[in-house]
Amino acid sequence: MSPAAGITTPSRWCPTPEQVMILEEIYRNGLKTPNATQIQHITSHLSLYGKIEGKNVFYWFQNHKARDRQKLRRKLYKQLQQHHFLMKRHRFDEHNQFFQYFLPQHHQLVPQLLPLPSPSSHQREGEEEAATEVEGGGRTWLGGDEGRTVAEEDGETTCRTGTLRTLELFPVRASWVEEEEGTSGNGGCGN
Amino acid sequence: MSPAAGITTPSRWCPTPEQVMILEEIYRNGLKTPNATQIQHITSHLSLYGKIEGKNVFYWFQNHKARDRQKLRRKLYKQLQQHHFLMKRHRFDEHNQFFQYFLPQHHQLVPQLLPLPSPSSHQREGEEEAATEVEGGGRTWLGGDEGRTVAEEDGETTCRTGTLRTLELFPVRASWVEEEEGTSGNGGCGN
DNA sequence: GCAAATTAATGATTTATTCAAG
DNA sequence: CTTGAATAAATCATTAATTTGC
C-alpha cells in the first residue's frame, strides 16, 4: 500500500547482511519458533541494522524452518531412493495388531491385549497405548539378534521375512517428491 | 554380543541421524502405531543405517506418540490459561506466536469469507472466490512503523540493550536441540 | 563491460492438517 | 461431528544472481 513517492518502494523486506547473520545465529542456537515476545525483541534489535518489522522476523523463522525441513526431506528421499532398488519385493499379509510383535516365550498370550476389533471401529490411533504390562516370563523380539526361536512352525504366516520389502508399505504421501529441478515455472507464476 | 572390549557397547539403542529422520518421516506421514509387519519392514530398512532391532522401532513409536501428545497437551494448557487475555488483561505478552501477532483491525474480519455457515455446511466450498482481496481492513502487525506501541513489559529476562549486543538477548540456549547437520544452508543468496 | 533475459532464492500468503474441546 | 487454535506445507510473487548477446 501507500505508493510512497519516488524513492525505493520495496514491496518486501530486504534484509541486511547483519540481520541475516543474526537471525541465522539465533536459529542455529536453537530458537526455531519464537513467540511474540521474542519476535519483538529480535525485531527491535535488528532494527538497529536496518528497517524491519515483526512480521519479517516471523516469516523469516517460518520460512527458514520450513526450508530446512524440506532440504532434509529431499536428502532423505534421495537416500531412500538409493536403497530402494536394493530391496526385493515380497508379499506379506496384513496384520493389524501391533502387539503381535511380542512373542511370549512360553505361554500367557495375554488375552486382553487384543481386544477384538469391533467391525466398524475406526481405531483412532491416539488412544490405545496402555500396553498393560506384558512382562513376566520374558519375551523375545522378532528380528533381534538372538531369539528367533518361535513361530516358524504352525503355519504362522506372520513375519518370517526372508526378504524385506519396505518402502511401499508406508503411506508416504511424497509431497516432497514433486519437482525435480525446475519443472515449476518460478518466474512465470502462471497464476 | 560379547562386551567387545574397546568399541562402544551401548546398553541401549543409539539411533543414527538417518534413522531418526526416517522414523520421523514415517511418523509424520501418518503411521503412528505400526503393526508387527510394518515394524519388521522398518527395522530392516533402518538396519542399513546402523544397528537396530525391532523393539527399538516399536518403542520409538510408542515414545514418540506419547511425547507428542504430551507436548500438545502442555501447549494447549498454556493456551487455555491465557485465554483470558481477550476478556481481562490486555497484555499481549507471552502468547504463542501466530495470531497474537496479528491485530484484527475492527473485527469485521472477512465477513464474506465465512458467510455464516449453516450448521451443517462445509464452509470451504466456495474457495474459488480467491479470498477477496483482504487489504484495507485486513490486519496489522505489531511492531511496524505505524503501531510501534509495544514495548517490553516486565516479564522475561529482557535484555533491552542500548548497545547492540544482540546475541545475549535471547534465551537461545539449545541444549535440547540436536540437529547439527549442515543446516546453515542458505547457499547462494546469503548476501 | 553492460543490461536484457533467465534462473535461483526467498519473502509473504494461502491452504491443509492436527489435536482437543464442546 | 463440528469448531477453534496453531502450525506446517504448499504456493505465490519479488528480489538477487547468473547467463547471454552484443
Side-chain angles (χ1 to χ4, degrees):
Chain A
M1 321 331 172
S2 84
I7 319 177
T8 64
T9 309
S11 61
R12 70 180 197 184
W13 171 54
C14 193
T16 71
E18 292 91 357
Q19 287 172 337
V20 173
M21 281 197 305
I22 293 170
L23 286 169
E24 283 178 349
E25 184 63 23
I26 294 168
Y27 185 88
R28 261 198 300 274
N29 273 326
L31 186 58
K32 302 288 172 61
T33 58
N35 59 34
T37 302
Q38 293 170 314
I39 287 177
Q40 279 305 318
H41 291 168
I42 295 171
T43 303
S44 44
H45 275 105
L46 292 187
S47 67
L48 294 168
Y49 297 98
K51 195 166 180 299
I52 193 173
E53 304 177 40
K55 66 176 181 181
N56 306 130
V57 174
F58 173 78
Y59 286 144
W60 189 92
F61 276 92
Q62 291 274 109
N63 282 319
H64 204 71
K65 188 169 57 174
R67 279 158 187 158
D68 238 20
R69 271 193 300 255
Q70 173 182 335
K71 217 180 307 177
L72 265 162
R73 276 199 296 264
R74 256 178 154 84
K75 193 168 66 176
L76 212 171
Y77 177 69
K78 277 179 187 166
Q79 285 179 358
L80 288 182
Q81 246 187 351
Q82 272 187 355
H83 287 288
H84 193 213
F85 74 96
L86 294 176
M87 304 300 147
K88 298 173 186 170
R89 308 235 172 144
H90 196 281
R91 274 192 74 76
F92 281 105
D93 290 350
E94 284 286 333
H95 289 271
N96 282 332
Q97 278 101 4
F98 62 98
F99 255 97
Q100 293 166 346
Y101 216 72
F102 288 107
L103 289 182
Q105 198 80 306
H106 289 98
H107 47 345
Q108 294 288 84
L109 227 313
V110 200
Q112 59 233 18
L113 276 185
L114 309 178
L116 34 114
S118 52
S120 65
S121 72
H122 185 260
Q123 184 173 1
R124 182 173 168 75
E125 83 291 80
E127 267 65 17
E128 58 262 71
E129 53 186 50
T132 63
E133 310 288 337
V134 193
E135 61 189 68
R139 49 186 185 253
T140 53
W141 290 91
L142 288 180
D145 308 311
E146 27 185 290
R148 216 36 121 75
T149 63
V150 270
E152 292 268 324
E153 304 182 322
D154 294 326
E156 173 97 28
T157 64
T158 44
C159 302
R160 52 172 298 164
T161 79
T163 59
L164 347 160
R165 142 166 103 83
T166 40
L167 244 197
E168 290 147 1
L169 276 193
F170 316 131
V172 192
R173 194 175 31 211
S175 56
W176 34 281
V177 186
E178 84 288 21
E179 85 258 48
E180 287 293 334
E181 251 62 11
T183 52
S184 70
N186 282 334
C189 292
N191 201 25
Chain B
M1 300 306 275
S2 58
I7 313 178
T8 63
T9 306
S11 60
R12 65 180 198 182
W13 174 52
C14 190
T16 71
E18 291 90 356
Q19 286 172 337
V20 174
M21 283 194 302
I22 293 170
L23 286 169
E24 284 176 349
E25 184 63 23
I26 293 167
Y27 184 88
R28 200 184 59 82
N29 272 324
L31 184 58
K32 305 285 173 59
T33 59
N35 57 38
T37 303
Q38 293 171 313
I39 288 178
Q40 277 304 317
H41 293 169
I42 295 170
T43 303
S44 36
H45 254 135
L46 292 188
S47 67
L48 293 168
Y49 299 96
K51 195 165 181 302
I52 194 174
E53 304 177 39
K55 65 178 180 181
N56 305 131
V57 174
F58 175 79
Y59 285 141
W60 188 92
F61 276 92
Q62 290 265 104
N63 286 322
H64 201 71
K65 189 171 61 176
R67 285 162 188 154
D68 238 18
R69 298 182 62 220
Q70 176 182 346
K71 205 189 312 177
L72 263 166
R73 187 169 310 178
R74 214 177 290 153
K75 192 164 59 179
L76 226 153
Y77 177 69
K78 231 163 87 176
Q79 170 193 136
L80 281 183
Q81 260 189 340
Q82 300 181 338
H83 200 218
H84 300 286
F85 112 100
L86 284 177
M87 310 170 180
K88 298 178 180 178
R89 304 281 179 150
H90 201 272
R91 47 177 303 196
F92 10 67
D93 199 23
E94 180 59 36
H95 299 280
N96 272 334
Q97 62 196 43
F98 199 94
F99 259 95
Q100 290 79 7
Y101 226 74
F102 289 104
L103 283 186
Q105 201 84 311
H106 293 103
H107 73 67
Q108 57 185 13
L109 208 44
V110 278
Q112 13 178 329
L113 277 186
L114 309 178
L116 273 199
S118 53
S120 67
S121 72
H122 256 184
Q123 59 202 21
R124 284 194 185 275
E125 291 300 315
E127 61 186 359
E128 296 82 3
E129 194 50 39
T132 65
E133 300 286 335
V134 188
E135 51 179 344
R139 50 195 182 238
T140 53
W141 289 88
L142 290 179
D145 324 280
E146 325 175 339
R148 187 65 79 83
T149 59
V150 285
E152 296 96 319
E153 315 234 328
D154 48 7
E156 288 281 347
T157 61
T158 317
C159 317
R160 63 174 302 122
T161 71
T163 64
L164 349 168
R165 301 283 296 273
T166 57
L167 266 194
E168 303 167 343
L169 288 188
F170 316 119
V172 288
R173 282 316 258 219
S175 55
W176 37 274
V177 78
E178 70 274 18
E179 38 205 3
E180 282 293 332
E181 207 87 9
T183 59
S184 58
N186 198 5
C189 199
N191 224 18

